[in-house]
Amino acid sequence: MVEKADNNNTDLEKQKAQLVAFEQELNERTEELEAQKEELTAAIEELVKMNNYLNATLAELQERNQELDQLVYRASHDFKTPITSTLGIVHLLKMEPMSPMLKEYVHRIDLSMHQMNDLLKSLSLFTQASLEELFYERISIAALVENAKERLQYLEGFNKVQFKIEIDKDLTISTDAILLSEVLKALITNAIIFRDIEEPFVCVRASIVNDSLEISVEDNGEGMTTEVMQKAFAIFYRGSEKSKGTGLGLYMVKKITQRLGGQVHLQQLGKGLSVKIILPVHHP
């Protein structure tokens, strides 16, 4: 009996020791968890501070961006009046008898004023595409393309280019005519500037594919390298010495196309370049 009691006491001592060890381990784990909780709380607080800082910075950037858009919009309108007046004076000068040299000077002034006028329109559209509401109306794509083309007669080389407009006269879509017209104008402008030397042509196609309007502007000019194509839509980027504009052309094309809910894609052809615009047939 004494031996049995001793065994029981030994078992109890072992169990007690195990409980003490378990309690010690539990306390250590609890302390570790408390330390981790404090670290996690500190990290969360830091993240909250960082998030608040980023939100404040974003709000400030949005405010300044809006102020910049307003400034550009106002400046483009303020410069429009003197340029329009200058173009009017140039038009009157062309009606007067002039020497060949003076005619050349007036011609150069006329080209410069048209280029400046186009720049102001681009700046105005830059803000319009961001700030103003879209105005949807049913338009003829063929008529819009023809109008955009005719507005480019002043460009050097325009009369050398063979234009192919492959668009059904009955093809219409509801969209913002002013913005889409500027997209077409910018694409045709590039096609003319980077035209082929010997037999330049520009082909514009449009059709409805899977509830989307696809417009492609193709040329047989110098095209783009892969490196240029990757940067082509960047603001103020000019990938060739032939570029005479401000570097806003393709940037504006992408910005406006996205504003209209569409996409723009570049494709290098065997010779030349194809730019495809894809727009939804049904606007929101």
Side-chain angles (χ1 to χ4, degrees), residues 46-70:
E46 188 65 28
L47 285 173
V48 169
K49 290 180 181 178
M50 183 70 70
N51 186 60
N52 291 337
Y53 173 76
L54 290 175
N55 285 336
T57 303
L58 178 60
E60 183 178 354
L61 286 174
Q62 288 175 336
E63 182 179 355
R64 293 191 177 183
N65 186 56
Q66 189 173 15
E67 290 174 352
L68 180 60
D69 285 344
Q70 293 286 358

Side-chain angles (χ1 to χ4, degrees), residues 31-32 50 58 120 132 174 180 192 200 261 272-273 281 283:
E31 290 177 358
E32 290 178 3
M50 183 70 70
L58 178 60
L120 292 180
E132 297 185 6
S174 179
L180 182 55
I192 294 173
L273 184 73
V281 173
H283 62 81

Side-chain angles (χ1 to χ4, degrees), residues 42-98:
I44 291 174
E45 290 176 353
E46 188 65 28
L47 285 173
V48 169
K49 290 180 181 178
M50 183 70 70
N51 186 60
N52 291 337
Y53 173 76
L54 290 175
N55 285 336
T57 303
L58 178 60
E60 183 178 354
L61 286 174
Q62 288 175 336
E63 182 179 355
R64 293 191 177 183
N65 186 56
Q66 189 173 15
E67 290 174 352
L68 180 60
D69 285 344
Q70 293 286 358
L71 177 62
V72 171
Y73 187 76
R74 178 62 183 271
S76 63
H77 277 270
D78 288 346
F79 280 114
K80 185 176 182 180
T81 299
I83 289 178
T84 302
S85 298
T86 304
L87 286 172
I89 294 171
V90 168
H91 178 72
L92 292 175
L93 282 173
K94 287 182 177 181
M95 299 170 64
E96 299 293 330
M98 291 182 289

Side-chain angles (χ1 to χ4, degrees), residues 67-222:
E67 290 174 352
L68 180 60
D69 285 344
Q70 293 286 358
L71 177 62
V72 171
Y73 187 76
R74 178 62 183 271
S76 63
H77 277 270
D78 288 346
F79 280 114
K80 185 176 182 180
T81 299
I83 289 178
T84 302
S85 298
T86 304
L87 286 172
I89 294 171
V90 168
H91 178 72
L92 292 175
L93 282 173
K94 287 182 177 181
M95 299 170 64
E96 299 293 330
M98 291 182 289
S99 65
M101 182 176 293
L102 187 56
K103 283 183 179 180
E104 177 62 21
Y105 291 157
V106 171
H107 175 66
R108 290 179 179 273
I109 293 173
D110 191 32
L111 289 178
S112 296
M113 287 299 99
H114 274 97
Q115 290 173 352
M116 180 62 74
N117 196 39
D118 282 348
L119 171 60
L120 292 180
K121 287 181 178 178
S122 295
L123 291 174
S124 179
L125 283 167
F126 180 86
T127 53
Q128 182 180 344
S130 302
L131 301 177
E132 297 185 6
E133 292 294 327
L134 299 176
F135 179 73
Y136 289 96
E137 58 182 318
R138 178 66 58 176
I139 58 172
S140 165
I141 300 301
L144 203 65
V145 170
E146 192 64 33
N147 176 264
K149 186 193 79 171
E150 292 303 315
R151 290 164 57 199
L152 297 172
Q153 294 186 47
Y154 69 90
L155 276 181
E156 180 183 351
F158 178 88
N159 294 326
K160 298 178 181 179
V161 177
Q162 178 186 0
F163 290 93
K164 301 177 182 178
I165 312 298
E166 300 179 1
I167 303 175
D168 190 328
K169 299 294 184 182
D170 296 326
L171 179 58
T172 62
I173 184 177
S174 179
T175 189
D176 191 303
I178 294 178
L179 292 183
L180 182 55
S181 177
E182 290 302 320
V183 167
L184 295 169
K185 180 171 171 285
L187 295 181
I188 297 174
T189 296
N190 282 349
I192 294 173
I193 292 174
F194 302 104
R195 64 188 180 278
D196 179 57
I197 300 299
E198 298 178 355
E199 297 180 350
F201 77 81
V202 176
C203 181
V204 185
R205 299 185 179 93
S207 60
I208 301 296
V209 179
N210 298 327
D211 289 331
S212 294
L213 172 69
E214 294 190 1
I215 304 175
S216 65
V217 179
E218 299 180 4
D219 63 71
N220 62 339
E222 63 182 53

